Amino acid sequence: MTERLDKLIASQGKLSRSDVKKMVKSSRVTVDGAVVKSADIKVDADKSVISVDGKALNYKKNIYIMLNKPQGVISASNDKTQKTVVDLVPPELYRDGLFPAGRLDGDTVGFVLITDDGDFAHRILSPKNHIMKTYHATLRSPLTEEDISAFKNGIELSDGTLCLEAEVRMLEKTDEPIAEVKICEGKYHQVKRMFAALGNKVLYLKRVRMGGLDLDESLEEGQCREITAEELLLLSEKN
Ligand code: URA
């Protein structure tokens, strides 16, 4: 698909359209090796090599970023008063239109997918597609066998909302029991409300996996990195 050259270069996040126009005027932009005279020519970025100052643009239609979210940051694109997950995206990965695909509560930590691809986000999040989101939940009390069956049968929240079948298992049976929970929906405060419906309480919550893709534990809280093409396939895995 062809698009205006200035729009196309600016969509990659590092330059504005007026920057591009100025660069074209100074003969700093080439398409397939030929110096471009006008910033509004139409170019197909999948077929042509666009270069700025002799450096080929690594054009990507969309970007997919893994963030290890810290507490105290909200799952939004922008906010007047509070820091958002998109504020944590470093300039080299930033572009307009980024948003978090699904929300984690302010006090929940872990894997947030940030992208500018609305269709992909919808596919990942839709319960119909059965892409599981995996959480580690530190609980006030250990799980019982009845709790495990309740998760499997679909928990009814205190307001009567029914949850789809989910999986839960105990990871650690210490003073601070930790359970692993897998859900394919994203209802408001869902994991906390599921445990509350069973008379338990979530003390700390971390999302550790989306689909078949684990949170990269080498990312410190607050750090991001781009998701590779292979990882994107894992992310879309039903499980
Ligand atoms: N469930 C919750 O209760 N909170 C989250 O942030 C995510 C899932």
Side-chain angles (χ1 to χ4, degrees):
M1 208 182 73
T2 62
E3 198 152 7
R4 275 175 63 122
L5 182 66
D6 54 351
K7 200 168 163 208
L8 216 151
I9 298 178
S11 74
Q12 300 302 289
K14 292 174 193 72
L15 298 165
S16 71
R17 280 168 81 167
S18 65
D19 289 336
V20 178
K21 285 196 175 98
K22 281 183 208 143
M23 294 175 112
V24 166
K25 267 202 181 137
S26 339
S27 305
R28 292 166 63 188
V29 181
T30 59
V31 174
D32 295 328
V35 173
V36 167
K37 302 262 180 291
S38 159
D40 57 13
I41 58 163
K42 296 272 186 105
V43 180
D44 184 340
D46 292 325
K47 295 194 178 132
S48 298
V49 178
I50 302 163
S51 301
V52 177
D53 290 336
K55 195 162 178 277
L57 194 73
N58 180 16
Y59 175 80
K60 287 179 196 143
K61 185 168 185 308
N62 294 109
I63 192 163
Y64 308 88
I65 297 163
M66 175 191 288
L67 165 70
N68 186 2
K69 177 190 170 301
Q71 287 188 327
V73 172
I74 60 165
S75 293
S77 299
N78 49 59
D79 190 87
K80 285 205 179 76
T81 54
Q82 284 176 278
K83 194 171 221 175
T84 73
V85 290
V86 172
D87 292 335
L88 296 175
V89 175
E92 64 277 14
L93 295 180
Y94 184 82
R95 51 167 80 182
D96 285 343
L98 287 178
F99 64 92
R103 287 166 184 273
L104 291 185
D105 299 334
D107 61 356
T108 301
V109 300
F111 192 165
V112 175
L113 167 67
I114 300 174
T115 183
D116 57 352
D117 185 344
D119 291 341
F120 184 80
H122 180 73
R123 235 179 307 132
I124 293 295
L125 298 175
S126 170
K128 273 195 292 199
N129 292 328
H130 235 259
I131 293 171
M132 303 306 261
K133 322 300 177 298
T134 306
Y135 295 86
H136 288 175
T138 306
L139 302 174
R140 188 177 53 199
S141 323
L143 286 178
T144 63
E145 285 305 318
E146 292 79 56
D147 294 340
I148 295 171
S149 312
F151 266 84
K152 197 165 174 4
N153 296 330
I155 288 178
E156 182 174 343
L157 303 179
S158 62
D159 63 357
T161 306
L162 285 178
C163 299
L164 294 173
E165 174 183 343
E167 289 169 44
V168 70
R169 68 186 177 106
M170 212 58 215
L171 288 181
E172 280 182 38
K173 271 195 186 159
T174 54
D175 283 354
E176 288 219 315
I178 301 178
E180 182 179 83
V181 184
K182 292 182 180 218
I183 56 174
C184 64
E185 316 172 84
K187 298 187 197 301
Y188 183 62
H189 293 333
Q190 182 163 343
V191 173
K192 292 173 186 162
R193 289 159 76 211
M194 286 168 114
F195 282 104
L198 302 173
N200 207 334
K201 188 171 166 61
V202 173
L203 305 177
Y204 181 81
L205 190 61
K206 177 173 185 174
R207 182 151 70 194
V208 294
R209 174 185 267 238
M210 295 181 78
L213 180 61
D214 287 323
L215 173 68
D216 180 345
E217 289 292 346
S218 74
L219 288 176
E220 307 261 336
E221 282 188 10
Q223 282 186 332
C224 294
R225 73 160 172 81
E226 196 172 349
I227 291 173
T228 65
E230 295 79 46
E231 287 177 332
L232 213 51
L233 295 176
L234 288 175
L235 185 49
S236 326
E237 251 176 25
K238 295 173 201 254
N239 47 15

